[in-house]
């Protein structure tokens, strides 16, 4: 079964450093997402991306965050200057298109980001 | 804005028994999608079941079924014949069906930790 692949699985970074989290969505999917889950809390929507542009972003997704699909296969989340409170599990997800059959958002296994 | 409420932080069930996890949501929309996701200790999010709001028939996937009550804005998950592998966090999620306008992300509840007693 097709998978969404995220790398790395765990990243430790110094506060103030830039990090890039990488995702390879399922190849024929059209919509891409990033979600965040702070330990012990609920999963929160960050941003959605379609047709090479952001289609929606939450209040969490401020100027420190950016997304890119540089080569048609990778989908990246960049945090410019990390803060301690950015420590969380970051999930990438993708889905094929419209209709219930295509509303199977497929999630990756997540990247655990630890800011020290 | 839509909200999703899971009022049971933790539930426990004996293996082979049936358990129901509750979920309520608040929305002014008439068409939307509802989901249950399972998050085992590996922390991957796995889709368990999904329901489209305009369909009255409750979705079923093997041992998993839902009780969708649109008027009450309730979307409970029933797990029959519970197995040890069902132990996980279960998240209820909502997604607007409106196109455009950016209403594209899933809104999750806080989750229910399901414990399976052998």
């Amino acid at each position: 079964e097709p998978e969404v692949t995220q790398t790395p699985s765990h990243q430790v970074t110094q506060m103030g450093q830039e990090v890039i989290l990488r995702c390879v969505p399922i190849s024929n999917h059209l919509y891409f997402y990033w979600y965040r889950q702070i330990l012990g809390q609920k999963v929160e929507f960050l941003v959605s991306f379609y047709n090479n542009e952001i289609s929606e972003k939450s209040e969490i997704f401020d100027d420190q965050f950016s997304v890119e699909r540089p080569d048609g296969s990778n989908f990246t989340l960049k945090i410019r200057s990390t803060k301690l409170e950015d420590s969380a599990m970051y999930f990438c997800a993708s889905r094929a298109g419209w209709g219930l059959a295509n509303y199977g958002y497929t999630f990756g296994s997540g990247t655990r980001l630890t800011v020290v | 804005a839509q909200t999703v409420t899971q009022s049971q932080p933790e539930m426990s069930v004996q293996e082979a028994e049936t358990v129901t996890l509750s979920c309520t949501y608040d929305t002014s929309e008439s068409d939307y999608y509802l989901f249950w996701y399972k998050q085992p200790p590996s922390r991957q999010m796995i889709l368990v079941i999904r329901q489209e709001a305009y369909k009255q028939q409750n979705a079923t996937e093997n041992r998993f079924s839902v009780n969708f009550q649109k008027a009450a804005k309730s979307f409970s998950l029933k797990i029959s014949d519970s197995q040890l592998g069902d132990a996980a966090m279960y998240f209820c999620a909502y997604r607007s069906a409106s196109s455009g306008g950016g209403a594209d992300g899933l809104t999750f509840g806080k989750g229910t930790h399901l414990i399976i007693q052998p």
Side-chain angles (χ1 to χ4, degrees), chain B residues 60-78:
Chain B
T60 300
E61 290 285 344
N62 300 315
R63 297 182 295 107
F64 298 87
S65 62
V66 297
N67 183 6
F68 173 50
Q69 301 288 329
K70 190 172 184 179
K73 297 180 183 174
S74 170
F75 183 61
S76 60
L77 174 69
K78 185 170 85 170

Side-chain angles (χ1 to χ4, degrees), chain B residues 5-44:
Chain B
T5 302
Q6 293 179 250
S7 58
Q8 306 152 317
E10 188 173 278
M11 291 283 284
S12 181
V13 65
Q14 292 282 339
E15 196 176 359
E17 298 293 306
T18 295
V19 64
T20 298
L21 309 183
S22 66
C23 172
T24 58
Y25 56 93
D26 187 24
T27 184
S28 58
E29 299 178 328
S30 59
D31 200 13
Y32 44 86
Y33 301 98
L34 296 165
F35 305 84
W36 279 97
Y37 278 89
K38 170 184 177 180
Q39 187 181 44
S42 66
R43 300 199 72 182
Q44 183 163 10

Side-chain angles (χ1 to χ4, degrees), chain A residues 31 33 35 37-43 45 48 55-56 89 91 95 98-101 103-105 107-109 112, chain B residues 33 35 37 39 42-45 47 50-52 55 91 95-100 102-106 108-110:
Chain A
Y31 299 82
Y33 307 84
Y35 288 82
Q37 186 183 30
I38 294 171
L39 186 64
Q41 299 188 22
K42 67 178 177 179
V43 179
F45 169 74
S48 60
S55 53
E56 186 193 14
M89 194 78 160
F91 291 101
R95 67 175 175 89
W98 296 105
L100 183 62
Y103 271 104
Y105 293 75
F107 282 79
S109 298
R112 184 187 301 272
Chain B
Y33 301 98
F35 305 84
Y37 278 89
Q39 187 181 44
S42 66
R43 300 199 72 182
Q44 183 163 10
M45 297 290 286
L47 177 65
R50 58 195 170 197
Q51 173 91 36
E52 193 165 21
K55 291 189 176 177
F91 292 95
R95 193 249 188 243
S96 170
S98 60
S99 60
D104 198 24
L106 290 171
F108 285 87
K110 290 186 176 181

